[in-house]
């Protein structure tokens, strides 16, 4: 079966036109308006003129804008009203202003073209004079002979220069380029040919490219060619002609009137036929609206967004920040809420921010709770929230456990406050039972339907994200029971109202579902998909090499992460804490390998084997780490700070600490648009968090799913696979390879051998064989068995494979 997959995206060089190619439209009008408002001409035309013949340099851009402005003026003249009409007079004034700037543009292009032509002629004469003075021949660049190999590339020249002159210090890029040009001119002089050194390249090689999305760049056209007053007046008058040039799009317009190409086909497949339905999708989903349109993508979506913003749609009002990411808008809200009602540092540290409004509420803070002990307690707590903070503080170094307990006790407290109007120190057994019933049918206003979970101190946040299954209910009641037990043991409460609720809830104890794993066939297929993605990234054409280059590090990290999980079965939190310094190189049977010392559940330490091929993948990934981290591979202390799986650049955390305690959200994070979730995506040392690893794997498996279906591989596992599935995959692969089950137990860090035994099929197969043999023996002793079987056959039951 072929494993080659179609390379995603359009063929190299293909251009999909997003907006309709009309003789004249609002896309060109938007380019002119942007230019008059101060945007560089080339940037303005690149952004809004989305046709194949878009200008490629400043002169062409200015010429195109001048031509468009003349057409705008011509249309404005042709649509004048009566001589005494106020709108006609306004039109006439606007037309004059636009024509003036248009003529300045065309005149500027002519002057610049003549100036540069004259400069080239003067340059040729100077080169000819210098060549004559030195007794050399001046040749056009295209006829210069091929120089030796040392001049083929800068790298070749650098190596030759170092071998020849042995300089004390390395040349910086500018010095290297200068020496290259000097030596090349000397070589040509030896051949009797004059060569003019091009020192401008050494500056260009270091200059940064300006993105076409930039709104402010250094003007590339001399400002002396334009009258500032003309530009200012035209920018004021341009809006007057917008209605006379072409009608504004209307909400009832069919999308085909304004949008074309494969973009139009993608919108139709998503059942978007009018501008109204398009804008409604934008209103509902914000900046991520394009995710609801398969095969559209962010680049073409950005063009549509720019068009909507600049031309507007009649009958539709969209907020100004509609295209900002949900995360950025939430971050602004969090910052605003923190200023207005800051959460206590202790609550923020323990993920209890929603309880902040109740700290000073004398009715609900539990200071006079019905079941609160009147004697001093070991928690030194005066209120319920104080007691919860002290109790949860013991889990500060076990963040996954802390998050679960904090989430469940927060839900319970809010239920007690809002539904019962009671502090938790006044909750009795009857209320505890009612909470169990509440979890069976959670009201809709307690549930968030947002695609991504909003931060805890925003208006969108809700305690739940959906109805709970049996396992989640059991986890919720268990967490609340544990916290109440600690409050009671600390002498704060007289008893634990939740102690008997869980027992009588009828919720079965959770069991380890080892079936949630990939088969060897599925694992091999995933590896082939990843290799295809890496090959596709490597084969990107030069025009998009920067995009491909940005993908390589993330793909190398994904490959290291996948193989490390498959080869070790390590837990995600264990991997998050793993550092390069925790590795020890050992020789076994003459072969080198590495043992990783990890600390698992209940602080149990074990060694995990990492084979050389996986180790190479890890080191290749770590070589992509940003130099911002200042990694030190030479010392043990330095290696102790380098994670095995890392973020690729030093993150800006969404919040920072003031005076070592108070947390406040970073303005730098807001300015750079850092998402809320990124504050938990990495440690300060750059380790990719458990959530970050899960996000990477889920995204990859979602890409594998449709490809698996096409290749005839079961896709269901890829639709549901998570990071923990790789742990089960490791367990199955080791047991299926007949590795001693006690060895597998040690590798996985299981405290009980029975847990590891779940991966073994031997007991199940032995049971099936025994029962089959027994059933066959019993059937042979039944005299009327044949007649029973005939009756079954006559009944025409469904086939076994249909059940």
């Amino acid at each position: 079966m072929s494993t080659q997959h179609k390379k995603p995206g359009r063929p190299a060089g293909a251009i999909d036109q997003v907006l309709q190619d009309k003789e004249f439209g609002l896309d060109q009008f938007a380019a002119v308006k942007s230019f008059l408002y101060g945007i560089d001409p080339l940037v303005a035309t690149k952004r809004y003129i989305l046709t194949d013949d878009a200008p490629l340099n400043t002169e062409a851009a200015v010429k195109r804008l001048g031509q468009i402005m003349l057409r705008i003026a011509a249309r404005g003249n042709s649509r004048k009203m009566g001589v005494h009409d106020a709108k006609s007079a306004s039109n006439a004034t606007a037309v004059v202003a636009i024509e003036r700037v248009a003529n300045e543009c065309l005149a500027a292009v002519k002057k610049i073209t003549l100036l540069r032509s004259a400069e080239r002629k003067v340059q040729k004469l100077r080169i000819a004079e210098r060549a004559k003075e030195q007794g050399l021949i001046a040749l056009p660049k295209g006829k210069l002979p091929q120089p030796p190999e040392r001049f083929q590339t800068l790298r070749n020249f650098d190596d030759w220069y170092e071998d020849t002159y042995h300089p004390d210090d390395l040349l910086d890029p500018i010095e290297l380029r200068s020496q290259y040009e000097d030596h090349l001119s000397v070589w040509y002089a030896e051949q009797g040919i004059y060569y003019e050194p091009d020192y401008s390249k050494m500056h260009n090689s270091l200059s940064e490219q300006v993105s076409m999305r930039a709104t402010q760049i250094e003007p590339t056209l001399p400002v002396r060619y334009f009258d500032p007053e003309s530009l200012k007046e035209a920018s004021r008058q341009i809006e007057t002609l917008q209605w006379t040039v072409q009608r504004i799009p209307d909400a009832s317009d069919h999308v085909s009137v304004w949008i074309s190409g494969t973009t139009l086909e993608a919108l139709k497949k998503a059942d978007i036929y009018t501008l109204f339905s398009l804008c409604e999708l934008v209103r509902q989903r914000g900046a991520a609206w394009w995710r609801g349109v398969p095969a559209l993508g962010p680049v073409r979506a950005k063009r549509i967004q720019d068009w909507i913003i600049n031309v507007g749609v009649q009958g539709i009002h969209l907020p100004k920040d509609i295209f900002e990411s949900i995360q950025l808008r939430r971050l602004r809200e969090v910052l605003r809420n923190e200023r207005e009602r800051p959460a206590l540092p202790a609550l923020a540290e323990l993920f209890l921010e929603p309880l902040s409004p109740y700290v000073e509420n004398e009715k609900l803070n539990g200071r006079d709770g019905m079941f609160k002990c009147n004697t001093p307690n070991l928690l030194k707590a005066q209120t319920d929230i104080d007691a919860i903070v002290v109790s949860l503080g013991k889990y500060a170094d076990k963040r996954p456990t802390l998050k679960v307990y904090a989430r469940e006790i927060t839900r319970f407290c809010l239920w007690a406050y809002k539904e019962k109007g009671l502090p938790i120190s006044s909750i009795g057994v009857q209320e505890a039972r009612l909470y169990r019933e509440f979890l069976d049918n959670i009201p809709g206003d307690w549930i968030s339907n947002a695609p991504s979970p909003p931060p805890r101190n925003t208006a969108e946040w809700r305690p739940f994200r959906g109805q709970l299954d049996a396992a989640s209910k059991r986890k919720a009641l268990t967490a609340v029971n544990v916290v109440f037990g600690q409050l009671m043991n600390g002498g704060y409460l007289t008893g634990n109202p939740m102690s008997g609720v869980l027992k009588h809830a009828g919720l079965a104890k959770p069991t380890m579902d080892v079936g949630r794993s990939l088969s060897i066939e599925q694992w091999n297929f995933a590896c082939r998909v990843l290799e295809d993605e890496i090959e596709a990234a490597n084969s990107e054409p030069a025009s998009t090499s920067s995009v491909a280059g940005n993908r390589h590090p993330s793909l190398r990290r994904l490959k290291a992460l996948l193989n490390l999980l498959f080869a070790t079965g390590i837990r995600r939190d264990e991997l998050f804490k793993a550092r390069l310094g925790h590795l020890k190189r050992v020789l076994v049977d003459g072969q080198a390998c590495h043992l990783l010392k990890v600390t698992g559940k209940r602080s149990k330490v074990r060694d995990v084997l990492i084979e050389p091929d996986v180790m190479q993948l890890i080191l290749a990934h770590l070589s992509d780490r940003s130099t911002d981290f200042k990694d030190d591979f030479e010392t043990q202390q330095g290696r102790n700070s380098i994670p095995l799986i890392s973020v690729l650049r030093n993150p800006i955390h969404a919040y920072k600490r003031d005076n070592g305690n108070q947390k406040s959200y970073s303005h730098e994070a807001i300015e750079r648009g850092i998402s809320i979730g990124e504050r938990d995506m990495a440690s300060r040392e750059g380790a990719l968090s458990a959530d970050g690893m899960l996000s990477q794997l889920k995204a990859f498996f979602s890409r594998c799913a449709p490809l698996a279906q096409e290749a005839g591989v079961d896709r269901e596992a890829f639709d549901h696979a998570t990071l923990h599935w790789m742990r089960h995959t490791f367990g199955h692969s080791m047991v299926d390879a007949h590795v001693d089950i006690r060895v597998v137990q040690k590798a996985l860090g299981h405290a009980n051998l029975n847990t590891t035994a779940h991966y073994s099929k031997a007991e199940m197969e032995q049971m099936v064989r025994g029962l089959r043999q027994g059933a066959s023996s019993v059937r042979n002793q039944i005299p009327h068995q044949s007649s029973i079987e005939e009756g079954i056959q006559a009944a025409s039951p469904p086939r076994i494979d249909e059940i």
Side-chain angles (χ1 to χ4, degrees), residues 239-266:
E239 299 288 350
T240 306
L241 296 175
Q242 186 159 340
W243 288 83
T244 61
V245 171
Q246 187 179 29
R247 71 177 180 84
I248 299 292
D250 191 88
S252 61
D253 287 348
H254 196 281
V255 289
S256 62
V257 176
W258 304 99
I259 299 172
S260 65
T262 55
T263 304
L264 176 62
E265 298 303 317

Side-chain angles (χ1 to χ4, degrees), residues 51 121 194 209 333 690:
T51 55
K121 290 180 180 179
Y194 179 80
Q209 291 184 350
E333 183 182 355

Side-chain angles (χ1 to χ4, degrees), residues 4 37 82 151 213 232 369 545 799:
Q4 187 174 3
Y37 285 170
F151 294 111
R213 297 173 186 269
K232 188 175 180 180
S545 59
R799 298 196 310 272

Side-chain angles (χ1 to χ4, degrees), residues 293-313:
V293 184
L296 180 62
V299 175
R300 289 184 289 175
K302 180 66 168 61
R303 294 180 180 179
I304 294 176
Q305 291 171 198
D306 288 340
W307 179 75
I308 291 175
I309 291 172
N310 279 275
V311 305
V313 177

